[in-house]
Amino acid sequence: MALRVTTPSVSSTDPSLLLTPFQWTNHASIAQLDPRPSFDSEVYRTFATPPSGNSYLVPASFAGAFGSDLWLESWSYLAVNHRLPENEYPTSNTTLCGPITDSRILPADTYYLTCSVYVKSGATLTLNPGTTIKAYAQDSTGKATILVIEQGAKIMASGYANYPITFTSVLPEISLPRTGTWGGVLVLGKARINSNSSIDGTANVEGGLPGLNQLNFSSFFSNSIGLRPGYGIYGGFDDADNSGILRWTRQMVHWKG
């Protein structure tokens, strides 16, 4: 009987994990972790197929230890210490990350902030009744995730008593309430503010540099919420400015600065 030996192929690629700690020294210093690959990861396209005729091997749909199932939930150290999100998976249709430059309407569903979202001037973000926005604690650079409605932009979030619009954390309900779980919603208007020293009446968001502490959720204002320079400007002299509607919304954010 002849034995055929084949050399396995080896490849190296970025798995594009949903969230890896920006800096950490040990398991206790991890603020939040999601080891699953994002929906567009190469691991869903590049993996070995089992040889034909072998009934013991089951074809895989991804390479590595994780696909869309977060099998560490509920029993691992990270889970019981509130470091893992709910075992829900952000798809291409439900992932929110980066600037929104054109008006966008979100049908009622659950959406996931995997990094900070900036609704830019001239654009309107409309959330239908029953919509839920769940945010990760931070992005890949260690900055807390925030939803920013910039000057000149609008958010139209009009829910109903039985279909409210909810902003919350990706953490499981059993892990909440908990402080410092994400950066929150910032609406930056153009109306007069009660204190500023600038000629144009504007100011920068307090906390435009402070933010989420990677080691301790309760110490929210000690690192950075990810507002880049010029992205946290509010105020002015336009008292008729309109940044949209927040009606029958609830911010189950569970953080306090």
Side-chain angles (χ1 to χ4, degrees):
M1 175 179 172
L3 178 65
R4 186 178 67 175
V5 178
T6 59
T7 302
S9 60
V10 178
S11 63
S12 176
T13 186
D14 181 359
S16 301
L17 303 184
L18 282 168
L19 178 60
T20 54
F22 178 63
Q23 292 178 336
W24 60 288
T25 55
N26 54 47
H27 59 273
S29 66
I30 297 174
Q32 195 172 84
L33 171 69
D34 193 338
R36 298 172 296 176
S38 61
F39 66 87
D40 56 352
S41 172
E42 189 67 24
V43 305
Y44 292 119
R45 297 185 292 272
T46 306
F47 52 88
T49 56
S52 59
N54 192 323
S55 60
Y56 295 100
L57 300 178
V58 179
S61 58
F62 58 90
F66 292 92
S68 60
D69 179 31
L70 188 59
W71 47 263
L72 289 174
E73 68 164 341
S74 74
W75 62 269
S76 64
Y77 170 90
L78 293 170
V80 299
N81 285 277
H82 319 292
R83 303 297 204 272
L84 292 180
E86 187 84 50
N87 192 6
E88 302 170 351
Y89 189 69
T91 67
S92 58
N93 293 324
T94 60
T95 296
L96 300 176
C97 180
I100 295 178
T101 56
D102 298 316
S103 294
R104 184 173 177 182
I105 299 174
L106 298 184
D109 204 341
T110 299
Y111 298 88
Y112 303 90
L113 261 65
T114 57
C115 76
S116 292
V117 171
Y118 296 86
V119 184
K120 309 297 287 185
S121 179
T124 298
L125 176 63
T126 302
L127 309 180
N128 276 305
T131 295
T132 296
I133 304 292
K134 293 187 175 184
Y136 279 80
Q138 58 187 220
D139 60 19
S140 59
T141 66
K143 306 297 189 294
T145 53
I146 46 178
L147 173 58
V148 181
I149 314 302
E150 293 189 1
Q151 288 189 316
K154 288 185 177 182
I155 180 171
M156 306 301 290
S158 185
Y160 302 112
N162 54 339
Y163 290 104
I165 294 170
T166 304
F167 301 91
T168 187
S169 164
V170 294
L171 287 175
E173 281 297 316
I174 195 173
S175 296
L176 300 172
R178 182 164 296 274
T179 57
T181 57
W182 68 294
V185 180
L186 300 181
V187 181
L188 307 176
K190 297 181 179 180
R192 298 172 192 269
I193 55 180
N194 61 6
S195 175
N196 74 82
S197 58
S198 65
I199 296 177
D200 59 1
T202 64
N204 282 287
V205 172
E206 180 183 359
L209 291 179
L212 181 69
N213 183 312
Q214 291 179 282
L215 308 184
N216 186 345
F217 278 134
S218 63
S219 301
F220 186 82
F221 287 101
S222 59
N223 197 343
S224 175
I225 60 174
L227 275 177
R228 289 171 285 177
Y231 280 69
I233 297 174
Y234 70 102
F237 301 111
D238 184 2
D239 293 339
D241 180 51
N242 183 356
S243 296
I245 296 173
L246 291 172
R247 180 184 296 125
W248 282 109
T249 64
R250 52 182 183 174
Q251 289 202 48
M252 300 169 64
V253 294
H254 304 301
W255 68 269
K256 297 176 177 62

